[in-house]
Amino acid sequence: MPAPSCPVTHSLCTWPQDLFGVSMVVPLLSLHVKSLGVSPTVAGIVGSSYGILQFFSSTLVGCWSDVAGRQSSLLVCILFSALGYLILGASTNVFLFVLARVPVGLFKHTLSISKALLSDLVSEKERPLVLGQFNTASSVGFILGPVVGGYLTELDGGFYLTAFICFSVFILNAGLVWISPWSDGKRGGAKDGPRWGQSHALWGRTGSGTQAAARPPQVEVVATLRGLWHLLGSAAWDVLLVRWLMALAVMLYHSNFVLALQERFGLRPRMAGYLLGSGSALGALAGLALGPVLRLAGHQPRQLLLHSSALTCLLLLAFAATRSVAVMVLCSTLLSVSTSIGRTCITDLQLSVGGAGAGGALLGLGQSVTAVGRVIAPLLSGVAQEVSPCAPPGLGAALALAAVIIMSLNRPHSGSDGSDRLKSE
């Protein structure tokens, strides 16, 4: 694969800093809200507000990025997220804490917009490789952020300092986006992917770019939402269902990971930290190895997703059934690799199905689907754990098996992973 172009390099550099800042703060939120003197129930309600806001805003912000352009929408999302973390740095009471979570919940969609932007800048064949590098860079930020945040929080006023540093990181990212050389005119410029004009026709918009540009933005957003609904009934439903099932399966695995190590294997929480840290590092390396893996799969992301999901299913089942520490460590390690590859493939499939005209909207809808999983996973995990500590990963294996069956039964939809369908319509 050729070296990334300058715009791609800017985008690859922006998100790791973003995630570095966020991962410094997020692990400290529960401690901070507890220090404000609220009950655990109120803390839980406040914590869930972010996911609820993300659920309702993800698809709308994705549609907006398709209509208004990636650079402008990404810049606005970064600035409003920065405002949220600035308010968080001054949150000396619960009201300010809740107020700080509102702009972040509504506008923290930099990940999906950045992925849609990368899709616009590279060819369809290069896209999975670039997305793999993107996930690798993100993993680096996620590994370093909690370490720095944990150190800073031990200082006097450490949480407020950490939130202000996160705000500064977002402002730095806004500057990088502002000076980046990409142009929204390159949308649909991928050599092998659906063109902007073709996707424009799919969503029922005017064929002329001049005429389309004359339509009010709100009309364009409504047209994109209508086209997205049409796409859900034809090409995208199975992709989103697979994403939801696999996300829920992995969430169930993580939901009681530390407790399972303690109850089933007698291991201390520190061991869980080592395993999670090494897993993040291996997930990052898996992103770099995606190129050779794709070549082995014949450059078919859907086929690779099927294989990685099947491997995830087997590993979850083995993790739930084993009593050996060595087998548990092996399963945990390989799960980091299989889930990393699966996430990249599912993102590539969403971008292929959505095309240049609705890639952002479909990624936003995917985030909403994942948000539903975040709400359901703790409930399912709690009920399953009443049966056995092995039940949550076992239930995750069953959900992953369902995803594999759905992909196997819907193979005729693959072809070119959705782009041929878009072109024909």
Side-chain angles (χ1 to χ4, degrees):
M1 174 184 172
S5 63
C6 190
V8 174
T9 303
H10 271 77
S11 189
L12 288 174
C13 291
T14 299
W15 176 248
Q17 298 177 29
D18 184 322
L19 192 58
F20 170 73
V22 171
S23 62
M24 282 196 304
V25 174
V26 170
L28 309 177
L29 290 178
S30 59
L31 292 176
H32 180 65
V33 73
K34 182 180 179 181
S35 71
L36 298 177
V38 301
S39 66
T41 302
V42 174
I45 294 173
V46 170
S48 66
S49 62
Y50 174 81
I52 294 173
L53 290 171
Q54 287 268 298
F55 171 75
F56 287 106
S57 64
S58 294
T59 305
L60 291 176
V61 172
C63 290
W64 173 47
S65 75
D66 290 326
V67 173
R70 311 291 188 213
Q71 186 174 17
S72 57
S73 57
L74 182 59
L75 184 61
V76 170
C77 285
I78 290 175
L79 289 175
F80 272 98
S81 298
L83 174 63
Y85 285 105
L86 180 62
I87 298 174
L88 186 66
S91 58
T92 55
N93 54 61
V94 179
F95 173 76
L96 286 177
F97 184 89
V98 174
L99 182 64
R101 301 306 286 164
V102 172
V104 178
L106 291 175
F107 290 97
K108 183 61 182 70
H109 302 289
T110 51
L111 174 59
S112 58
I113 296 177
S114 295
K115 288 181 177 180
L117 172 64
L118 286 174
S119 177
D120 296 339
L121 295 173
V122 300
S123 69
E124 186 174 350
K125 187 175 181 180
E126 294 174 329
R127 185 171 58 211
L129 309 181
V130 174
L131 288 175
Q133 295 174 353
F134 183 82
N135 290 338
T136 297
S138 301
S139 298
V140 172
F142 185 77
I143 292 170
L144 297 177
V147 177
V148 177
Y151 172 78
L152 291 176
T153 195
E154 294 182 1
L155 304 176
D156 187 26
F159 176 81
Y160 302 105
L161 175 62
T162 305
F164 181 77
I165 292 176
C166 183
F167 160 76
S168 303
V169 168
F170 273 87
I171 294 299
L172 174 62
N173 279 344
L176 289 174
V177 172
W178 179 261
I179 65 175
S180 292
W182 64 63
S183 168
D184 287 327
K186 294 185 70 174
R187 293 177 64 172
K191 296 177 182 178
D192 303 321
R195 302 290 180 182
W196 171 245
Q198 290 168 330
S199 295
H200 224 55
L202 174 63
W203 304 114
R205 302 171 188 166
T206 54
S208 165
T210 304
Q211 291 174 324
R215 299 177 68 176
Q218 59 268 28
V219 176
E220 291 293 318
V221 170
V222 172
T224 301
L225 288 172
R226 287 176 179 172
L228 189 62
W229 179 256
H230 168 75
L231 193 60
L232 285 175
S234 57
W237 72 269
D238 57 335
V239 176
L240 290 173
L241 181 57
V242 167
R243 171 174 177 148
W244 181 73
L245 289 171
M246 293 306 300
L248 189 56
V250 176
M251 289 175 194
L252 286 170
Y253 159 71
H254 283 293
S255 63
N256 77 330
F257 183 74
V258 177
L259 185 61
L261 293 190
Q262 189 173 14
E263 291 188 359
R264 295 174 55 195
F265 304 102
L267 299 178
R268 300 171 62 183
R270 184 171 58 183
M271 182 62 183
Y274 291 149
L275 285 175
L276 291 174
S278 61
S280 297
L282 284 172
L285 294 176
L288 294 177
L290 193 59
V293 174
L294 264 176
R295 282 193 289 271
L296 289 175
H299 291 281
Q300 296 182 13
R302 192 181 188 97
Q303 194 70 15
L304 183 57
L305 175 62
L306 176 62
H307 293 157
S308 67
S309 300
L311 178 59
T312 299
C313 175
L314 292 175
L315 291 172
L316 287 173
L317 188 60
F319 181 87
T322 187
R323 298 191 178 188
S324 167
V325 174
V327 174
M328 179 273 295
V329 171
L330 179 63
C331 292
S332 177
T333 301
L334 294 179
L335 273 169
S336 302
V337 177
S338 65
T339 54
S340 176
I341 293 175
R343 282 195 304 268
T344 303
C345 291
I346 200 73
T347 300
D348 182 69
L349 284 173
Q350 286 180 266
L351 290 168
S352 295
V353 172
L362 202 55
L363 285 180
L365 185 59
Q367 279 194 313
S368 297
V369 167
T370 304
V372 175
R374 291 193 184 102
V375 175
I376 296 176
L379 176 61
L380 287 180
S381 177
V383 173
Q385 191 139 345
E386 292 287 343
V387 178
S388 167
C390 304
L395 180 57
L399 294 173
L401 178 61
V404 171
I405 293 174
I406 290 172
M407 282 186 283
S408 300
L409 295 178
N410 286 275
R411 284 189 178 185
H413 286 260
S414 55
S416 307
D417 294 325
S419 49
D420 288 342
R421 174 183 294 272
L422 283 171
K423 292 176 182 178
S424 65
E425 293 185 15

